[in-house]
Amino acid sequence: DQQVKQNSPSLSVQEGRISILNCDYTNSMFDYFLWYKKYPAEGPTFLISISSIKDKNEDGRFTVFLNKSAKHLSLHIVPSQPGDSAVYFCAASASGGTSYGKLTFGQGTILTVHP
Amino acid sequence: NAGVTQTPKFQVLKTGQSMTLQCAQDMNHNSMYWYRQDPGMGLRLIYYSASEGTTDKGEVPNGYNVSRLNKREFSLRLESAAPSQTSVYFCASTRIFGGAVETQYFGPGTRLLVL
């Protein structure tokens, strides 16, 4: 049972335009969500996160939106740059004493930004 | 700070051979994790250590063992490697305090090929 899903394996965007990456989850216990970016032959690097008490979090060109009722979150990158080309993973976690910070990851979306 | 380091970077094994993947962090984190990444599957948790002296199974623990050697180091052992264990292995660490979730930081990965 895939508790975190990224249904788009790939996304292609023109430089300067908006990139929108989507993620759905099924476990209602999840209350903390993260996006990681991964380049080939490197480990994932943290990009941005959001707690379930918020519906939006911004950091420069990156904004994450959370719709709790739909169990859906999205990452917006504006404007997109060629250096943003990477694999993006959505991850979710449940706070509380027994979760121990464990993350559940989606399958990833390959973003390609064309010059 | 080096962050999270992993050795080796790449390893080829024959079926039935054993090996240990090493991971160390210098961020004074109390929790550490081992994930594997397979194409189309995202990252899946193998084992984790919530604190020094404790370890527990994740989503895909079969065929693996772990040791939390001290606060800094967390190793993953394959006792008898199988081709199904061909994957990229990532170690991660974070600080867990009061049940709150914080960002996990990842190492660069170990690429393992089992023939």
Side-chain angles (χ1 to χ4, degrees):
Chain A
D1 176 32
Q2 189 87 26
Q3 296 187 65
V4 178
K5 292 183 182 179
Q6 294 176 254
N7 292 317
S8 298
S10 63
L11 175 67
S12 183
V13 171
Q14 206 69 30
E15 181 179 6
R17 305 296 291 269
I18 185 171
S19 295
I20 300 176
L21 296 95
N22 294 303
C23 179
D24 297 296
Y25 63 97
T26 57
N27 189 339
S28 57
M29 297 300 291
F30 290 148
D31 58 3
Y32 190 69
F33 305 90
L34 308 90
W35 284 94
Y36 281 85
K37 177 180 180 179
K38 185 184 178 304
Y39 292 118
E42 295 184 10
T45 55
F46 171 73
L47 196 55
I48 193 168
S49 63
I50 188 166
S51 165
S52 60
I53 61 173
K54 294 184 173 182
D55 54 19
K56 178 182 174 182
N57 189 28
E58 286 182 85
D59 185 0
R61 296 186 297 114
F62 303 93
T63 303
V64 56
F65 295 91
L66 175 63
N67 182 333
K68 289 185 288 294
S69 61
K71 292 190 176 68
H72 177 83
L73 63 155
S74 61
L75 174 67
H76 293 209
I77 306 174
V78 185
S80 302
Q81 300 173 353
D84 296 329
S85 297
V87 180
Y88 288 78
F89 290 101
C90 168
S93 183
S95 59
T98 59
S99 69
Y100 302 115
K102 291 180 288 183
L103 295 178
T104 301
F105 283 84
Q107 307 96 310
T109 296
I110 301 170
L111 174 66
T112 304
V113 180
H114 299 282
Chain B
N1 284 351
V4 180
T5 58
Q6 292 183 237
T7 57
K9 284 185 169 51
F10 180 70
Q11 184 73 44
V12 179
L13 291 179
K14 293 181 180 177
T15 296
Q17 287 185 317
S18 63
M19 79 161 294
T20 299
L21 284 67
Q22 306 285 356
C23 173
Q25 53 89 11
D26 62 2
M27 295 175 282
N28 201 34
H29 287 162
N30 51 350
S31 297
M32 298 184 73
Y33 310 81
W34 276 105
Y35 295 88
R36 59 179 286 173
Q37 186 198 1
D38 302 296
M41 301 289 288
L43 281 77
R44 292 181 294 168
L45 183 64
I46 305 171
Y47 268 93
Y48 65 100
S49 172
S51 60
E52 188 178 354
T54 69
T55 61
D56 212 340
K57 296 178 181 178
E59 181 185 354
V60 288
N62 291 345
Y64 306 95
N65 283 301
V66 291
S67 295
R68 183 75 182 266
L69 305 169
N70 47 56
K71 190 172 186 179
R72 289 187 64 247
E73 298 172 288
F74 188 37
S75 63
L76 178 72
R77 182 159 178 86
L78 287 71
E79 291 291 351
S80 178
S84 61
Q85 294 178 304
T86 293
S87 189
V88 183
Y89 292 85
F90 291 102
C91 176
S93 71
T94 191
R95 185 183 77 122
I96 302 294
F97 181 74
V101 179
E102 296 193 11
T103 303
Q104 284 189 20
Y105 294 89
F106 285 79
T110 293
R111 279 154 184 74
L112 177 64
L113 174 62
V114 183
L115 301 174

